[in-house]
Amino acid sequence: MNKTGFIMQLADRLNITEEQAAQVDEIVEAHHIIGRNSKLAVIAEIKDKLGTDDETAKQISDTASELIASNIRNKLLHPFGGNDEDK
């Protein structure tokens, strides 16, 4: 999946605008994927930039992490499966 596909999936799944999803993408890219401190930093930054409460920011962070993990898993399970951009 490319960046545009990730942003579109994030926007669809969270019912947010593509601009907000792009902001979330930038925040996630700026931090490490693994680690409690990284997760807390992502949540705090989402809360600040999007003006959400703690629970919504956590939901956005969790959804972004799930999308990343599922796409990595799919790539590992099907390394020669072709381009999955339309999924």
Side-chain angles (χ1 to χ4, degrees):
M1 171 193 306
N2 63 21
K3 188 174 191 170
T4 305
F6 175 75
I7 291 170
M8 290 174 58
Q9 279 189 359
L10 195 60
D12 285 343
R13 205 175 264 188
L14 291 169
N15 199 25
I16 59 176
T17 66
E18 287 187 22
E19 291 80 21
Q20 290 172 319
Q23 286 180 323
V24 172
D25 177 60
E26 289 175 15
I27 293 167
V28 170
E29 284 182 353
H31 298 280
H32 296 286
I33 294 174
I34 300 172
R36 178 167 167 71
N37 291 337
S38 294
K39 180 175 180 163
L40 294 175
V42 167
I43 291 170
E45 200 167 334
I46 290 171
K47 181 180 170 184
D48 183 48
K49 288 199 176 179
L50 297 182
T52 64
D53 61 4
D54 286 331
E55 188 60 36
T56 303
K58 184 182 180 315
Q59 179 185 8
I60 292 169
S61 173
D62 290 347
T63 301
S65 296
E66 288 170 12
L67 281 173
I68 292 168
S70 69
N71 283 302
I72 289 172
R73 183 175 43 251
N74 287 340
K75 194 56 137 173
L76 290 173
L77 292 174
H78 309 287
F80 304 110
N83 196 349
D84 294 330
E85 290 180 18
D86 58 335
K87 290 185 179 181

